[in-house]
């Protein structure tokens, strides 16, 4: 390990230990944790190969492991978190901050590959916020961030009211934001076997057009995002979940289908399709004697729906 890394390791371990032991902290967050494995060191005096190699990754793994062990001495349930850390740190950290909660051409690759190995929480979501010039943000900025966080299976976190009392969750002026936020949070809880503990599946196929909306990405650039966002999941009980949300200000009508033979669900003569309510109650909406699940939806503005598909019986 690089000598400089040893110094940082000692400082961080002592800080983590004190925060948990004396401050009773339940978790420690290491900012920019994902950006520290690719910086080559060319000093010949640090005891590692000059230039590149895996010593930086090894060193960071050692730091995270030592920090977590120091925390666990005083609280075995204390958690070590970081910002968008690499997959090489999955086994020495407990959860991670997703760097962005929406991005042009978004592909939820992390959930597809590592979603069952580590918990991820979303980036900052504001309501009633301002843009870089201090002007009020368009509503789509909230609904796009919140909606994509929801369908991507990320935990909601870093909810910023930005100091203005009119931007708090229970403010009448912000009711449209608060209502939607409660809806998707409660639906996520009701469908946690999919959105929290599930395995990401292939997306559904749209048979009708869904319009594009214009939002602004984390770098202040215009980007396109669909008015209806979706995802599909398999739970550990081998059921399937199909998730949709309308982030637009207008009603959206569309038709979609999913060929169940291409998803991770057992072959069956009958499939039951139920809608999951925010209260976790389930209502049967279809019984299929085919593997082709096809539905037409009419979703009100700022709405969300989750369907559960299970193997049925005659």
């Amino acid at each position: 390990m690089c000598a400089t890394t040893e110094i940082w390791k000692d400082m961080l371990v002592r800080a983590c230990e004190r925060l948990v032991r004396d401050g009773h902290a339940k978790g420690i967050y290491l900012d920019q944790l994902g950006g520290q494995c690719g910086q080559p060191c060319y000093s010949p005096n640090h005891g590692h190969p000059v230039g590149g190699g895996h010593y930086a990754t090894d060193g960071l793994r050692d730091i995270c492991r030592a920090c977590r062990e120091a925390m666990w001495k005083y609280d075995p349930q204390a958690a070590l978190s970081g910002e968008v850390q690499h997959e090489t740190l999955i086994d020495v950290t407990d959860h991670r901050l997703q760097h962005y909660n929406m991005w042009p051409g978004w592909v939820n690759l992390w959930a597809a590959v590592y979603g069952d190995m580590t918990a991820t929480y979303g980036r900052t979501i504001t309501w009633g916020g301002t843009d870089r010039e201090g002007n009020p943000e368009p509503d789509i900025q909230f609904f796009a961030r919140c909606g994509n966080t929801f369908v991507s299976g990320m935990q909601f976190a870093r909810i910023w009211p930005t100091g203005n009392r009119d931007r708090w969750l229970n403010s009448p002026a912000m009711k449209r934001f608060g209502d939607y936020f409660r809806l998707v949070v409660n639906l996520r809880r009701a469908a946690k076997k999919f959105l929290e503990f599930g395995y990401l599946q292939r997306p559904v196929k749209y048979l009708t057009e869904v319009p594009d909306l214009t939002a602004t990405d984390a770098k202040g650039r215009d980007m396109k995002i669909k008015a209806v966002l979706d995802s599909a999941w398999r739970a550990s009980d081998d059921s399937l979940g199909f998730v949709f949300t309308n982030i637009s200000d207008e009603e959206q009508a569309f038709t979609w289908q999913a060929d169940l033979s291409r998803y991770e669900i057992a072959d069956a003569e009958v499939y039951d399709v139920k809608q999951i309510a925010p209260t976790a109650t389930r209502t049967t909406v279809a019984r299929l004697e085919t593997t082709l699940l096809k539905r037409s939806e009419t979703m009100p503005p700022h709405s969300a729906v989750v369907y559960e598909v299970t193997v049925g019986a005659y």
Side-chain angles (χ1 to χ4, degrees):
M1 183 186 295
C2 175
T4 303
T5 304
E6 287 283 7
I7 295 172
W8 280 107
K9 172 187 170 183
D10 183 61
M11 292 174 58
L12 282 170
V13 167
R14 284 188 284 115
C16 289
E17 187 175 59
R18 290 172 181 171
L19 283 168
V20 175
R21 181 191 64 204
D22 302 333
H24 307 292
K26 290 296 183 180
I28 304 293
Y29 169 77
L30 302 181
D31 200 33
Q32 301 184 23
L33 191 57
Q36 308 307 315
C37 292
Q39 300 298 320
C41 176
Y42 295 95
S43 173
N45 304 316
H46 290 169
H48 60 67
V50 174
H54 56 79
Y55 59 85
T57 298
D58 291 344
L60 196 55
R61 282 179 53 79
D62 190 49
I63 287 174
C64 291
R65 184 185 297 109
C67 286
R68 197 162 63 165
E69 289 175 354
M71 296 160 58
W72 284 354
K73 286 192 302 183
Y74 300 97
D75 185 349
Q77 293 186 336
L80 182 64
S81 185
E83 180 183 10
V84 69
Q85 61 263 41
H86 303 152
E87 54 265 51
T88 54
L89 300 177
I90 286 177
D91 62 324
V92 290
T93 57
D94 298 296
H95 36 64
R96 65 193 291 274
L97 170 68
Q98 178 73 26
H99 198 43
Y100 300 113
N101 47 25
M102 64 177 187
W103 191 256
W106 175 275
V107 175
N108 199 16
L109 189 59
W110 183 272
V113 180
Y114 302 113
D116 61 326
M117 301 178 69
T118 184
T120 298
Y121 52 98
R123 191 74 178 194
T124 304
I125 297 174
T126 62
W127 49 69
T130 55
D131 61 19
R132 292 168 182 260
E133 285 72 42
N135 301 312
E137 282 187 338
D139 286 1
I140 186 59
Q141 291 302 110
F142 167 81
F143 291 107
R145 295 184 190 120
C146 200
N148 199 51
T149 298
F150 170 61
V151 301
S152 297
M154 293 184 287
Q155 174 68 46
F156 288 97
R158 298 181 70 164
I159 311 301
W160 288 4
T162 65
N164 185 326
R165 68 175 58 194
D166 288 337
R167 296 170 186 164
W168 288 100
L169 181 62
N170 60 355
S171 164
M174 297 292 122
K175 186 176 187 300
R176 63 194 184 282
F177 298 147
D179 288 349
Y180 180 73
F181 182 69
R182 291 186 185 91
L183 170 64
V184 292
V185 166
N186 287 332
L187 266 179
R188 185 181 191 277
R189 181 185 297 116
K192 64 183 178 182
K193 71 175 184 176
F194 300 122
L195 289 166
E196 187 170 351
F197 301 115
Y199 304 82
L200 191 67
Q201 302 278 287
R202 67 177 64 243
V204 303
K205 180 179 182 180
Y206 285 87
L207 303 181
T208 52
E209 190 68 24
V210 173
D212 286 330
L213 305 176
T214 300
T216 303
D217 70 16
K219 300 297 184 181
R221 301 170 298 191
D222 285 347
M223 59 169 279
K224 297 296 183 182
I225 189 168
K226 290 295 183 182
V228 176
L229 307 176
D230 67 276
S231 59
W233 304 81
R234 180 178 71 86
S236 58
D237 63 1
D238 295 328
S239 61
L240 295 178
F242 295 97
V243 182
F244 300 87
T245 183
N246 176 11
I247 62 172
S248 75
D249 296 332
E250 299 178 353
E251 180 180 271
Q252 298 295 334
F254 59 94
T255 301
W256 63 276
Q257 72 177 30
D259 183 352
L260 301 182
S261 67
R262 305 187 71 193
Y263 289 79
E264 296 179 64
I265 191 171
D267 293 334
E269 294 181 340
V270 178
Y271 296 96
D272 290 329
V273 183
K274 298 179 180 179
Q275 182 174 340
I276 303 177
T279 57
T281 58
R282 285 156 166 78
T283 303
T284 299
V285 295
R287 282 177 61 82
L288 306 177
E289 296 184 6
T290 173
T291 59
L292 188 62
L293 170 57
K294 180 179 177 181
R295 291 189 59 81
S296 293
E297 309 286 350
T298 300
M299 297 189 68
H302 311 146
S303 62
V305 64
V306 178
Y307 296 110
E308 177 186 57
V309 181
T310 56
V311 170
Y314 285 116

